Amino acid sequence: MSFTNPILPGAYPDPSICRVGDDFYMVNSSFEMFPGLPIHHSRDLVNWELVGHGLHRKEQCIDPICLTDVQSDGGIHAPTMRYHNGLFYIITTNVYVPQDCPEGFNPCKNFIITAKDPAGPWSEPQVIDGAPGIDPDIFFDDDGRVWYVGTHTPEDQAYPGQGEIWLQELDLATVSLKGERHFLWRGTGGDWVEGPHIYKYNGRYYLMTAEGGTGFNHAVTVASSATITGPYVSNPKNPVLTSRHLGLDYWVNSTGHGDLVQMNDGRWFMVCLGIRNDIEGRSNMGRETHLVPVTWEADHYGIDENKSDILWPVCAPGTGRVEQEPALPFPDRTQIATDSFTDNFTQATLKKDWTFRRLPDTTSFQVLPDQQRLRIRSGKPVNERVSASLAGFRQKSSLFAFQATLHLPETFQHSESGISLIQKDHHHLVMSVLKKDNDLKIAVSLNGEELSVSELPPETRNLDLVITCDERGYHCSYRVSGESSNEVIDIINNIPANSLLSRYYTGALCCLHSFSKSESSIEYVDFSEVHFRQLSA
């Protein structure tokens, strides 16, 4: 029996995993999205439930961690999640550059949050002063000492892009660094050594990193030491995982940034990121989380015989690559597909899957469970460093049908409301109903450029809006909800599928939006019956 990678479809990059008994917990980067730091739970490594977020309150994301007007690809980077003495820890970085950035400003704030339950609530962020770089790791040693593992650019950088992993003891009582700073490793010569994690196994310390940048040259590399402060020796068989040697036609690329977990029965697995090669080597979901089996073996061919007894991790033994359909970790537990999403708004609050781009105005959204609708107040459109008036969930498949019913008030006049695929501030496909020259119309735009406009009957109040993507590209259509003919009317077809390829850290959101054309107007629209389903190739 097999499962299908990725195990977390959609924009879930930079995974970090920990085990508590029979339970596994995983956290991912969230960049400018809110809620931030999505946390999933599993008992079999292939079926994951979104149980909460590390950053789930407005107060956590204003000061000192700012998500109000964070720049694209800024925000929350590469977390580490660990469990120790009844408490869960997430350590991560917020990268924030103010719009009027003062000279000498440090854009990276590394911080810790804690919780007794991964579902929350999580504590207020505690910033660790004097900790440069991104992608921090926290390591609890057997002797009770706690260590911070970080990245930085060395002063004597040998080549552009060279990084270095450093280590310093962390005082959890004061959340501050103490003692000597140790410089551990600069990787194997690849760019941007980052994403460090330290493990202790078989009496030795292992430092695992990401190298090569988050792209086609991405890789996982490992070094080992008899003491935590070093010196670290590089695995002679590095990298232990990459896809850069598999060519441009392999089903997944850019694999790297891994984290290891050991199971109760002693087996090991790695979670890592990768980009599906759906269109031109990319996909609109960006970087997703995959699962790889791991074993340990000695290097019997080392030049230095004194090092030949070191055990090294072997990823995906026999193939050395992220497989699309590997064997199930637990053969008696089958994988349940998670490529679909439905919300009829019957609950009093939004499902955990809904997310926003930057910290939203919570007064702009209201769930109406008695009417089974989501009400959105018209507000700011998608633009640079703006919290737009939208709510979205992660796109989880390249070929899909995304549908929602839009309900227009009789006073509808000043907004552009509908459904959209939002990749970034200036990278999106938007289908909106609007008033133009006092006529009701429906328009489709790509990256702000209008592609098509169709006229609607003036009495229209309820529409089913649909965006689909198949081998021919994106198609936008609608039908007037409740009409007996149930006729589907095409607005535009065959928008090239590469129009929305992820060129960024994150993937697309499938959104409901209502953008105001007048700052002085207050207007609402309602949505119901939201569906997303995967289409077969």
Side-chain angles (χ1 to χ4, degrees):
M1 295 287 289
S2 63
F3 70 92
T4 300
N5 268 317
I7 54 170
L8 280 187
Y12 291 109
D14 307 324
S16 179
I17 189 170
C18 68
R19 179 180 63 83
V20 182
D22 293 327
D23 297 286
F24 301 94
Y25 298 96
M26 188 153 56
V27 66
N28 296 83
S29 297
S30 51
F31 296 95
E32 61 264 44
M33 296 183 191
F34 179 86
L37 295 169
I39 299 167
H40 287 79
H41 167 255
S42 176
R43 302 202 80 184
D44 58 16
L45 290 176
V46 296
N47 293 295
W48 294 87
E49 178 191 4
L50 181 63
V51 295
H53 293 80
L55 297 175
H56 53 89
R57 295 188 305 276
K58 177 180 179 180
E59 295 74 22
Q60 294 173 294
C61 304
I62 296 178
D63 183 38
I65 307 306
C66 182
L67 292 181
T68 53
D69 65 341
V70 65
Q71 71 280 9
S72 283
D73 295 335
I76 307 303
H77 284 57
T80 296
M81 187 178 192
R82 297 292 184 256
Y83 176 80
H84 183 70
N85 287 347
L87 204 60
F88 289 88
Y89 294 79
I90 294 178
I91 185 169
T92 186
T93 312
N94 184 56
V95 180
Y96 175 73
V97 179
Q99 298 193 48
D100 298 318
C101 186
E103 186 176 351
F105 179 83
N106 179 13
C108 299
K109 282 188 170 66
N110 291 290
F111 65 93
I112 289 178
I113 54 175
T114 60
K116 293 182 179 179
D117 184 342
W122 286 81
S123 69
E124 295 300 308
Q126 294 182 281
V127 174
I128 303 163
D129 292 329
I134 59 173
D135 301 4
D137 181 50
I138 186 170
F139 178 74
F140 297 90
D141 209 345
D142 299 337
D143 59 5
R145 301 174 79 182
V146 183
W147 297 88
Y148 179 104
V149 192
T151 68
H152 78 148
T153 300
E155 293 184 3
D156 59 340
Q157 189 182 51
Y159 56 87
Q162 185 186 43
E164 186 173 48
I165 307 300
W166 59 272
L167 175 90
Q168 194 167 350
E169 194 169 357
L170 181 64
D171 185 338
L172 286 180
T174 60
V175 191
S176 60
L177 299 171
K178 64 180 183 180
E180 181 184 357
R181 182 166 296 183
H182 306 270
F183 301 100
L184 305 186
W185 198 42
R186 297 190 180 186
T188 64
D191 291 341
W192 311 117
V193 58
E194 57 191 8
H197 295 300
I198 283 185
Y199 315 90
K200 192 171 187 180
Y201 179 62
N202 198 38
R204 294 186 64 87
Y205 295 90
Y206 290 86
L207 170 61
M208 191 169 74
T209 70
E211 281 193 66
T214 302
F216 284 94
N217 290 329
H218 207 31
V220 178
T221 53
V222 178
S224 180
S225 173
T227 61
I228 193 168
T229 57
Y232 281 81
V233 295
S234 178
N235 181 354
K237 296 179 181 177
N238 274 324
V240 295
L241 184 70
T242 188
S243 55
R244 61 194 182 199
H245 63 298
L246 298 175
L248 301 180
D249 295 329
Y250 191 59
W251 79 275
V252 66
N253 63 72
S254 308
T255 57
H257 202 113
D259 193 12
L260 293 171
V261 64
Q262 187 178 20
M263 300 170 67
N264 274 333
D265 59 12
R267 290 181 296 156
W268 289 77
F269 283 85
M270 176 190 288
V271 291
C272 67
L273 65 80
I275 299 175
R276 280 188 258 183
N277 184 8
D278 288 350
I279 308 164
E280 300 175 3
R282 297 180 183 272
S283 88
N284 201 27
M285 287 81 72
R287 303 175 301 161
E288 304 172 281
T289 294
H290 300 73
L291 182 69
V292 177
V294 174
T295 59
W296 295 78
E297 64 180 38
D299 174 30
H300 297 296
Y301 305 99
I303 296 175
D304 186 343
E305 293 181 358
N306 294 325
K307 299 174 184 176
S308 64
D309 60 346
I310 300 175
L311 298 180
W312 297 105
V314 177
C315 297
T319 68
R321 56 193 182 188
V322 176
E323 300 284 353
Q324 193 165 17
E325 294 187 351
L328 281 164
F330 297 92
D332 60 335
R333 302 182 192 174
T334 58
Q335 185 181 35
I336 301 171
T338 57
D339 299 282
S340 62
F341 175 76
T342 296
D343 199 346
N344 297 320
F345 304 111
T346 57
Q347 303 174 6
T349 57
L350 283 174
K351 289 184 176 180
K352 295 182 179 68
D353 306 78
W354 290 98
T355 190
F356 306 91
R357 300 197 69 250
R358 305 182 179 91
L359 195 64
D361 179 357
T362 54
T363 65
S364 296
F365 307 91
Q366 183 182 6
V367 183
L368 307 172
D370 292 339
Q371 302 176 44
Q372 297 185 19
R373 293 184 180 185
L374 173 65
R375 177 163 292 176
I376 299 183
R377 186 180 72 187
S378 303
K380 294 179 180 179
V382 180
N383 209 336
E384 188 173 358
R385 305 185 74 135
V386 164
S387 179
S389 184
L390 57 81
F393 55 90
R394 286 166 174 82
Q395 178 186 329
K396 294 187 175 185
S397 175
S398 289
L399 306 181
F400 64 88
F402 167 39
Q403 174 183 329
T405 301
L406 171 66
H407 305 275
L408 303 174
E410 291 187 6
T411 55
F412 181 78
Q413 187 71 36
H414 299 291
S415 70
E416 299 179 1
S417 305
I419 65 175
S420 47
L421 299 176
I422 309 295
Q423 182 68 254
K424 284 292 176 182
D425 291 339
H426 305 288
H427 198 50
H428 38 68
L429 178 64
V430 177
M431 177 164 59
S432 297
V433 177
L434 65 152
K435 280 283 187 75
K436 197 171 186 179
D437 300 327
N438 214 34
D439 294 324
L440 195 63
K441 299 181 183 294
I442 187 165
V444 175
S445 64
L446 178 65
N447 302 332
E449 180 181 347
E450 195 170 78
L451 301 181
S452 179
V453 180
S454 300
E455 198 162 318
L456 292 170
E459 68 279 5
T460 303
R461 288 292 172 263
N462 305 302
L463 299 101
D464 298 330
L465 305 178
V466 184
I467 297 176
T468 61
C469 186
D470 58 24
E471 296 90 341
R472 298 168 296 158
Y474 294 98
H475 318 287
C476 298
S477 61
Y478 74 94
R479 57 177 170 261
V480 178
S481 181
E483 282 197 352
S484 57
S485 65
N486 208 31
E487 179 185 5
V488 176
I489 301 172
D490 292 333
I491 307 170
I492 187 171
N493 289 316
N494 303 330
I495 302 171
N498 62 7
S499 301
L500 281 178
L501 285 179
S502 177
R503 303 180 179 91
Y504 310 95
Y505 290 142
T506 53
L509 297 180
C510 299
C511 295
L512 314 177
H513 68 265
S514 185
F515 304 145
S516 178
K517 296 185 291 182
S518 170
E519 291 187 6
S520 60
S521 70
I522 298 177
E523 190 167 88
Y524 293 87
V525 296
D526 291 349
F527 293 90
S528 66
E529 297 288 342
V530 177
H531 302 284
F532 179 95
R533 63 182 176 87
Q534 181 181 7
L535 297 179
S536 300

